[in-house]
Amino acid sequence: MIDCRNRCIHTFALLAIMLSAVTLIRCGASQAADPEKAYVDQHYPDFGFLPSPSQYKGRLFTLSQKYPKAEPDVSERPEFLKIDFQKNWREYLLAAQDYCFRDNVLGGDVADDFDAALLDQPKWFHVPWQHYGPSGREGVHGLTKEAPVQPQQLALSQTYQGGQMYAVAIYNSFGGYQIGKVWADKNVPNAKNVRFPVGTVVMKVLFTDVPSEEVPSLSNPLKWNAYVTENYLATNRVFKEVSLIQMDLMVRDERAPHGWVFGNYQYNGKMNNKNKWKNLIPVGIQWGNDPDVNDGTWGDYTNPIPVITRRNPHLKQTIINPDDNELPPTHLGWNGRLNGPADNYLSSCMSCHQTAQSPTKSPSSPLFQAATQVPPVGSKAWMRWFQNINCAERFDADKPTSSMDFSLQLAISLQNFYHWKDEAHRTIAGRYRNEQLNPVGDDVTEEFEILRSEPIESNQIKPR
Ligand code: HEC
């Protein structure tokens, strides 16, 4: 743990020096152009990893951080919120996708798409403090390192070892307003009363470095070039092509029983759309965790190696696309709840996201803790992750922590910030302290790493 922290701070210090020049030039120019200051001051580094400017002259990622100071007007809520997400789930997902693409897919080189900071007054925003640590943002597209990809996770024919997922997420202006409230003061973030306004839309695009030839659904791929680790276990960065595989969606919809609607899309190159982003076809929609559905470890629907898609008809709060011509064979979440190809097959979108708190008090999946503490799959302790809590409520209601209202990036941003701050203080304090007499204890509050997915060999889960 300490080792990792030292590495983080080291990386950060080096990169902060390298990047501050870039950040200053880019932010300085745009700030002068907007005297009204309808937005929060901009302080945050754009990214954490890129070769030095003398070695690299290509595309640069800019963090979109002109967070609106005022909550956008109700009239600006997206039109698609009028569609009934239960009855017309597919229409809802396609309209939401169009809404996300409108200002972000420009129709030229795909490398120019999703450059949210491009506009003078941007409409989409990034969460700061994702540059920090070994998984931090790379500097070409702002991608963060997400999760490993196991052999055969994406298709039976996929044998590639060491595969990984990278992703970048953006929030619309309703979401940007809430991010700005947390991060208005760069030295004293405000974690209290986080509640995203109705109308918040968050979307994320995920890319993999698994060779697209190994995965039938990745034929006709959409590729970005990014500065990523050589493989999932490596720490050295290289430029690599990564292929679009998934899109995630979160919507604060006032009709949703718990406040949020989650959606997922998977790339299918066979759709052969002229606009390749449109090859992301709906996987399904989720508005709750189905606390009553418990088919044990595997049930008939948990499906780590996707030869077919197994849809669970008992779920009432997840709908999966029924069309096998459109949806490539895919694993879903635990007992068939919604999850995408990048995600853990024993988890689910809302299960993971409802744990978003600062400080983090519970891991985002029961699997992400010491093997001896992992509860049996389907047990009462396990089902704690498949309860329904409402938006802006704490997962650990009995502990001193604040809800991040399902935003795991906000949770990570605060965790990274305090981690960095704590390290800096320790470095300074350490000079004056006799460590023998006054040992530097592990005084950080209880902390869990927020992981998206992990190999689970270490756990006692076996196929039936
Ligand atoms: C095992 C945990 C886990 C699962 C399952 C999961 N996510 Fe996430 N998700 C994360 C983490 C961690 C982040 C923050 C880091 C990042 O950007 O990926 C995140 C980020 C996001 C974001 C960006 C906004 C935010 O919260 O910061 C969206 C949107 C999102 N996920 C949607 C989904 C959807 C939709 C699904 C299901 C199809 C899903 N997630 C499944 C862990 C998970």
Side-chain angles (χ1 to χ4, degrees):
M1 195 63 187
I2 299 292
D3 268 4
C4 158
R5 286 183 186 172
N6 286 342
R7 229 183 302 129
C8 303
I9 191 76
H10 184 64
T11 318
F12 177 77
L14 269 176
L15 291 162
I17 297 163
M18 273 165 50
L19 298 178
S20 50
V22 176
T23 315
L24 281 177
I25 297 162
R26 301 188 124 214
C27 302
S30 39
Q31 254 176 355
D34 192 347
E36 286 180 2
K37 285 278 202 95
Y39 50 85
V40 175
D41 284 344
Q42 304 160 73
H43 300 291
Y44 304 104
D46 296 287
F47 50 80
F49 293 93
L50 205 61
S52 71
S54 62
Q55 290 171 301
Y56 174 77
K57 306 241 181 286
R59 158 177 306 284
L60 283 183
F61 170 76
T62 310
L63 192 80
S64 179
Q65 52 177 316
K66 281 186 176 178
Y67 311 116
K69 263 190 188 158
E71 184 170 336
D73 190 69
V74 173
S75 62
E76 287 177 44
R77 285 183 188 164
E79 276 288 300
F80 74 84
L81 287 181
K82 294 186 182 135
I83 302 170
D84 184 327
F85 64 82
Q86 298 192 25
K87 278 205 196 101
N88 301 316
W89 61 272
R90 188 187 159 82
E91 202 191 320
Y92 184 94
L93 287 178
L94 291 175
Q97 189 179 58
D98 282 345
Y99 172 83
C100 296
F101 287 179
R102 196 169 304 147
D103 298 304
N104 294 307
V105 174
L106 308 174
D109 183 347
V110 291
D112 295 333
D113 294 337
F114 292 96
D115 196 347
L118 203 67
L119 299 174
D120 229 17
Q121 181 49 62
K123 295 181 177 167
W124 293 83
F125 304 88
H126 299 109
V127 176
W129 272 103
Q130 314 288 302
H131 62 284
Y132 181 73
S135 301
R137 286 192 199 278
E138 53 82 52
V140 188
H141 292 286
L143 301 173
T144 54
K145 184 172 179 172
E146 299 272 306
V149 182
Q150 307 303 327
Q152 300 195 313
Q153 178 178 327
L154 304 178
L156 202 58
S157 49
Q158 177 228 326
T159 54
Y160 188 74
Q161 304 262 354
Q164 45 188 343
M165 293 284 175
Y166 275 79
V168 60
I170 48 177
Y171 286 66
N172 72 353
S173 55
F174 289 89
Y177 164 68
Q178 176 59 70
I179 301 169
K181 281 214 295 190
V182 173
W183 282 107
D185 182 338
K186 68 176 192 300
N187 297 311
V188 190
N190 176 11
K192 294 276 173 277
N193 304 318
V194 172
R195 176 181 281 271
F196 285 94
V198 170
T200 296
V201 178
V202 196
M203 75 90 72
K204 172 161 141 179
V205 275
L206 292 93
F207 293 78
T208 181
D209 70 344
V210 168
S212 51
E213 308 78 53
E214 287 194 358
V215 183
S217 58
L218 293 182
S219 64
N220 181 25
L222 185 162
K223 294 197 176 187
W224 272 0
N225 190 27
Y227 194 54
V228 299
T229 49
E230 198 161 12
N231 57 60
Y232 183 72
L233 294 176
T235 50
N236 64 311
R237 296 268 172 160
V238 294
F239 285 104
K240 234 184 177 188
E241 287 209 310
V242 290
S243 308
L244 176 66
I245 181 155
Q246 174 171 333
M247 167 177 159
D248 285 339
L249 175 78
M250 282 167 64
V251 183
R252 254 305 266 122
D253 188 320
E254 64 189 331
R255 301 159 309 170
H258 308 290
W260 285 100
V261 172
F262 278 69
N264 184 255
Y265 311 76
Q266 181 172 347
Y267 194 84
N268 185 357
K270 296 201 185 91
M271 293 291 117
N272 213 5
N273 283 299
K274 196 163 151 249
N275 172 0
K276 284 189 178 178
W277 296 102
K278 294 288 268 182
N279 291 335
L280 286 165
I281 54 104
V283 175
I285 198 162
Q286 180 183 37
W287 60 90
N289 273 317
D290 272 296
D292 299 330
V293 174
N294 181 351
D295 296 341
T297 308
W298 299 92
D300 289 333
Y301 307 104
T302 304
N303 182 23
I305 299 176
V307 181
I308 53 163
T309 306
R310 296 187 187 166
R311 300 170 182 85
N312 186 344
H314 307 300
L315 294 170
K316 296 195 174 63
Q317 298 186 312
T318 282
I319 299 174
I320 301 296
N321 187 344
D323 184 357
D324 279 330
N325 292 321
E326 182 178 64
L327 183 65
T330 193
H331 77 81
L332 299 160
W334 183 55
N335 290 171
R337 289 170 178 82
L338 185 63
N339 241 0
D343 299 311
N344 191 301
Y345 60 88
L346 291 172
S347 183
S348 183
C349 312
M350 290 184 81
S351 166
C352 218
H353 277 264
Q354 69 181 359
T355 65
Q357 298 177 129
S358 180
T360 300
K361 290 290 176 193
S362 291
S364 51
S365 157
L367 299 169
F368 301 162
Q369 45 197 342
T372 51
Q373 289 181 330
V374 174
V377 180
S379 64
K380 190 160 173 254
W382 174 271
M383 291 309 286
R384 184 170 167 244
W385 274 266
F386 295 91
Q387 297 307 301
N388 279 324
I389 65 164
N390 293 329
C391 54
E393 268 176 16
R394 284 174 299 167
F395 185 69
D396 290 277
D398 56 341
K399 298 206 172 118
T401 181
S402 303
S403 165
M404 292 295 110
D405 196 4
F406 287 71
S407 169
L408 283 165
Q409 284 198 339
L410 266 188
I412 291 174
S413 69
L414 289 159
Q415 186 169 300
N416 285 347
F417 171 78
Y418 289 121
H419 198 239
W420 166 76
K421 202 171 154 209
D422 182 58
E423 275 297 341
H425 283 176
R426 278 189 203 196
T427 318
I428 297 158
R431 286 194 215 135
Y432 302 100
R433 212 193 291 229
N434 178 334
E435 300 216 351
Q436 296 269 288
L437 291 175
N438 201 354
V440 185
D442 202 349
D443 53 5
V444 197
T445 48
E446 200 186 339
E447 201 180 77
F448 291 95
E449 246 186 294
I450 301 174
L451 298 173
R452 188 176 172 114
S453 179
E454 265 298 282
I456 56 163
E457 286 85 37
S458 57
N459 301 317
Q460 329 82 322
I461 299 158
K462 303 224 162 46
R464 298 195 285 199

